[in-house]
Amino acid sequence: MSRRADSDETRATARPGREDGDRPDPPDPPGRGGRPDQDSRDDRDSRDDPGWTAADADARPDQPGADAASAEPVRTEEAHITAARTGRALTTSALHAAATGADTFPAVLREALGRRGLSLERVSERLKARGITISQATLSSWQRGRSQPERARSLRAVDVLEEILDLPAGTLRSLLGPRRPRGRTTPPGAEGAALQILGEDSVVEKALGARFRHFNQETSSLMVHDIVRIGESGTMSGFSTTNVLRAGRAGADRALFVLSFDDEAAEPVDIRVTCGRLAEATYLKGLKSLVLEIHFGRKLAKLDTTVVSYAVEVSPSLTPATHYERWSRTNLHEYLQQVYFHPGALPVDCHRYVREKVGAPPRAQRRIPLGAAHDVHVLTSRCKPGVHGVAWEYGP
């Protein structure tokens, strides 16, 4: 299968995302989560966390290093990056650390847990053996940036965590910010709209981390054109997207796109940005998602428009692709989706469909004919928020 998504758009495979105010986190999947204890409820005050899916999100110009980056002239040559398949971050500028919050408490905690290979369950057990009860749900909330340790017991747990994770004393403590304000908060408009379509705890949210909170707040998509290419084996060989964006406020100068894949073998092997400047390309193997940060080359005035275009070549998946989806949190003036099939891998049936949100049953299904160029297309005017896809079937 394949799906894909842009913050307001597509997905070769992706899942929902969320950011909440003072709501308790749902239990983690078996083996990872647990019921939040009282401490986690007290600490859960203000959240700052984080197909086929393409998801574009806002990387605010006030982030560290943003002014310097935006001041760079637009390069006339095409930005080109070959993605490594190591699951490690692939970056094209020093912006990566600042943009991803690499020196924040959640990021350092996640990295240390991954380096030590410890599950949240094991960490919770080790803390309990030291006389400190911290649930897996609370630990999950800390590493996602949804809450931070503040009470005395939690701070003592942080000190012990540094020992468990082989971190120098004070490493985690020094990264804790000021005490967060109490009370329920409402997710910002863009983020709240994304949650309505993606749901909670989505791949997009996990991929963006703390940036999900400011999910494309400064821009919205007006028109999107996706082109998907299916190879002779029936697997997706690549796709390209042209996105017309409009600034909702002055100063917007970049956008984030999250593209996810259903099949672990399908990974990005080549990325080309022909409109805009590629500032970050990070493939998150565990999430089967690619995060692109593309700069516009200038700061937009309010209501200004800009065009972003990129193409991604994909390694063959283990199984044939059967669908392509794009999700949108806003109304699109127009959405055009084209799927080109290799003459040796023609489908016997193709149809379009719509979902109200990720994971919802498809509706408004309608067959679409195969064209002379071995392609199908769907053109939707005044495209409403939701998930818009094309699915196909191969003969026996």
Side-chain angles (χ1 to χ4, degrees):
M1 296 169 65
S2 356
R3 286 191 294 179
R4 163 202 156 200
D6 292 326
S7 104
D8 284 342
E9 290 109 57
T10 55
R11 159 181 186 179
T13 293
R15 295 186 319 179
R18 76 137 164 144
E19 160 73 33
D20 48 13
D22 196 43
R23 296 172 297 169
D25 289 335
D28 280 343
R32 292 179 54 199
R35 291 175 55 85
D37 56 15
Q38 182 61 44
D39 189 76
S40 71
R41 290 193 295 270
D42 290 339
D43 286 345
R44 193 168 285 118
D45 309 308
S46 166
R47 321 293 190 178
D48 284 326
D49 186 83
W52 201 25
T53 289
D56 50 328
D58 157 52
R60 294 166 297 164
D62 61 345
Q63 290 176 329
D67 290 339
S70 61
E72 295 179 24
V74 179
R75 299 175 184 173
T76 55
E77 75 273 19
E78 163 181 271
H80 179 189
I81 284 191
T82 299
R85 298 192 191 178
T86 60
R88 300 178 67 85
L90 173 68
T91 61
T92 57
S93 76
L95 290 173
H96 175 66
T100 56
D103 58 350
T104 63
F105 176 85
V108 173
L109 178 57
R110 284 194 305 269
E111 190 279 333
L113 287 167
R115 176 173 47 80
R116 292 280 287 138
L118 293 174
S119 67
L120 297 184
E121 183 179 12
R122 290 285 304 280
V123 172
S124 180
E125 290 173 352
R126 293 194 181 188
L127 287 170
K128 189 173 184 179
R130 304 282 290 272
I132 305 171
T133 301
I134 300 292
S135 72
Q136 296 172 52
T138 298
L139 292 171
S140 176
S141 181
W142 290 355
Q143 72 166 345
R144 292 177 183 174
R146 299 189 184 285
S147 66
Q148 69 174 21
E150 292 180 347
R151 293 183 176 276
R153 179 181 54 158
S154 297
L155 295 176
R156 188 160 65 91
V158 171
D159 295 336
V160 176
L161 273 175
E162 292 172 346
E163 298 177 21
I164 294 173
L165 300 175
D166 289 337
L167 293 172
T171 299
L172 294 174
R173 273 264 202 163
S174 64
L175 297 175
L176 292 175
R179 191 176 181 87
R180 296 178 173 183
R182 299 289 166 178
R184 180 176 297 273
T185 60
T186 302
E191 177 198 348
L195 286 173
Q196 290 181 1
I197 305 301
L198 292 172
E200 297 184 346
D201 214 18
S202 70
V203 165
V204 175
E205 181 182 4
K206 292 175 182 176
L208 294 179
R211 290 182 286 181
F212 184 77
R213 182 177 177 82
H214 308 284
F215 196 66
N216 237 23
Q217 281 188 342
E218 298 186 337
T219 60
S220 60
S221 296
L222 296 179
M223 300 172 60
V224 179
H225 182 190
D226 288 325
I227 298 177
V228 185
R229 299 190 181 278
I230 305 300
E232 186 173 8
S233 63
T235 63
M236 182 173 58
S237 60
F239 54 85
S240 61
T241 293
T242 298
N243 194 325
V244 181
L245 298 160
R246 180 170 62 190
R249 65 182 71 168
D253 66 350
R254 67 193 71 187
L256 277 164
F257 302 86
V258 179
L259 307 105
S260 303
F261 308 87
D262 286 331
D263 196 312
E264 289 185 356
E267 297 181 357
V269 294
D270 197 58
I271 304 162
R272 295 176 183 270
V273 175
T274 52
C275 243
R277 180 172 63 80
L278 183 60
E280 174 193 340
T282 304
Y283 181 63
L284 304 170
K285 190 176 182 67
L287 296 175
K288 295 180 289 186
S289 296
L290 172 67
V291 178
L292 302 178
E293 180 178 303
I294 298 177
H295 291 195
F296 307 149
R298 65 187 178 94
K299 291 184 181 294
L300 303 181
K302 185 175 181 179
L303 301 183
D304 267 3
T305 59
T306 191
V307 177
V308 170
S309 295
Y310 57 85
V312 180
E313 292 182 16
V314 182
S315 61
S317 58
L318 297 176
T319 57
T322 59
H323 66 280
Y324 175 93
E325 292 182 348
R326 171 173 288 275
W327 67 272
S328 176
R329 60 179 170 81
T330 59
N331 290 302
L332 296 176
H333 287 202
E334 193 168 83
Y335 174 46
L336 174 61
Q337 181 182 127
Q338 291 179 279
V339 183
Y340 286 88
F341 297 93
H342 188 280
L346 298 179
V348 296
D349 181 66
C350 299
H351 64 272
R352 61 185 296 179
Y353 61 89
V354 177
R355 303 180 194 272
E356 291 186 0
K357 59 183 178 180
V358 172
R363 57 178 178 80
Q365 300 185 59
R366 190 172 68 190
R367 293 189 65 180
I368 48 179
L370 197 65
H374 306 136
D375 72 309
V376 294
H377 78 275
V378 174
L379 176 63
T380 306
S381 298
R382 287 182 281 187
C383 187
K384 295 182 178 180
V387 180
H388 303 268
V390 168
W392 53 91
E393 297 176 5
Y394 298 104

